[in-house]
Amino acid sequence: KSFWDSVEYSASEHGTAILDEIVGSSGSFSFPKSLYAVIDCIRVCSSKKDVIVLDFFAGSGTTGQAVLELNKEDGGNRKFILCTNNENNICEDVTHPRIQKVIKGYKKNGDGEKVAGLGGNLQYFKTDLVKQTKNKDQMRLDLTYKCTEMLCVKENIFNLETEKEDYKIFKSNKGDKFLCIFYDLFDESFK
């Protein structure tokens, strides 16, 4: 068995205290993980600097901040995907604001010290269930509408170039790749 014992892994000092400095009050989230414990977990799992870290139980967003801190430290290009069921509005009230502030910079709550942003970008997606229908074509179209943002994530193409009633075209940041998502099976605009 392994046992990590360090003051840096204290959830109260390096979890709750850090969260309080960034978003003001961790009262809406109990026991955030220590930022440094998560950083070390990511280091242990992979020495690569271009991995995608997935956290299905995002909580306060410590994993996202840990990835950004590691990228700043070693010039990495790690990405993260954080998922939550938004119970008690945790994503809207804590997770998203925390990551946004860590990226852009913020003033510490308490002493007002300015903390520089770590850089990066943030996409926020909400999912929903697709209503079941006996019409399979309609089900495919509904599913395509609901999955548009996820297709953009898959292709790493987010800039909306053209939006019509039956399709959307997205362009990469460099302008060298495009993604067209078509929502109508029988429309002439496909041509």
Side-chain angles (χ1 to χ4, degrees), residues 78-120:
R78 296 169 193 87
K79 297 176 183 170
F80 58 88
I81 300 172
L82 307 179
C83 304
T84 180
N85 64 2
N86 201 30
E87 184 177 345
N88 299 323
N89 285 337
I90 188 66
C91 187
E92 294 171 13
D93 295 343
V94 179
T95 315
H96 185 263
R98 176 188 191 164
I99 300 302
Q100 200 167 36
K101 287 181 177 186
V102 167
I103 288 171
K104 294 181 178 181
Y106 59 94
K107 287 186 179 181
K108 281 186 182 179
N109 289 311
D111 64 8
E113 176 187 342
K114 182 149 176 61
V115 176
L118 298 176

Side-chain angles (χ1 to χ4, degrees), residues 11-191:
S12 61
E13 290 180 42
H14 301 288
T16 303
I18 289 174
L19 184 59
D20 283 343
E21 288 176 352
I22 299 169
V23 295
S25 172
S26 63
S28 58
F29 188 81
S30 302
F31 307 111
K33 295 179 284 292
S34 162
L35 175 64
Y36 305 108
V38 177
I39 287 172
D40 284 351
C41 284
I42 294 169
R43 279 191 186 120
V44 167
C45 290
S46 178
S47 60
K48 295 180 181 178
K49 297 180 182 181
D50 63 347
V51 297
I52 298 174
V53 178
L54 174 62
D55 186 346
F56 269 111
F57 303 98
S60 68
T62 305
T63 300
Q65 183 176 356
V67 168
L68 295 168
E69 294 279 357
L70 274 171
N71 285 343
K72 179 183 178 188
E73 179 183 304
D74 64 14
N77 189 30
R78 296 169 193 87
K79 297 176 183 170
F80 58 88
I81 300 172
L82 307 179
C83 304
T84 180
N85 64 2
N86 201 30
E87 184 177 345
N88 299 323
N89 285 337
I90 188 66
C91 187
E92 294 171 13
D93 295 343
V94 179
T95 315
H96 185 263
R98 176 188 191 164
I99 300 302
Q100 200 167 36
K101 287 181 177 186
V102 167
I103 288 171
K104 294 181 178 181
Y106 59 94
K107 287 186 179 181
K108 281 186 182 179
N109 289 311
D111 64 8
E113 176 187 342
K114 182 149 176 61
V115 176
L118 298 176
N121 60 58
L122 180 62
Q123 298 285 329
Y124 180 97
F125 301 105
K126 290 184 179 184
T127 60
D128 200 359
L129 299 174
V130 176
K131 291 182 182 177
Q132 201 168 25
T133 177
K134 291 181 181 182
N135 181 334
K136 289 185 180 183
D137 287 339
Q138 185 61 51
M139 178 74 93
R140 288 182 186 114
L141 293 174
D142 292 346
L143 189 57
T144 304
Y145 274 111
K146 297 281 186 183
C147 291
T148 296
E149 287 85 7
M150 295 220 181
L151 293 167
C152 290
V153 168
K154 163 72 173 83
E155 298 299 326
N156 199 25
I157 299 174
F158 300 100
N159 303 307
L160 183 62
E161 182 76 9
T162 304
E163 181 173 12
K164 300 290 182 180
E165 185 177 332
D166 52 354
Y167 67 90
K168 290 183 182 178
I169 299 174
F170 297 86
K171 180 172 73 172
S172 67
N173 285 338
K174 292 180 182 177
D176 60 340
K177 294 181 182 177
F178 292 86
L179 170 66
C180 180
I181 302 175
F182 195 68
Y183 303 111
D184 194 336
L185 298 173
F186 307 108
D187 198 287
E188 288 295 314
S189 66
F190 183 74
K191 296 173 184 171

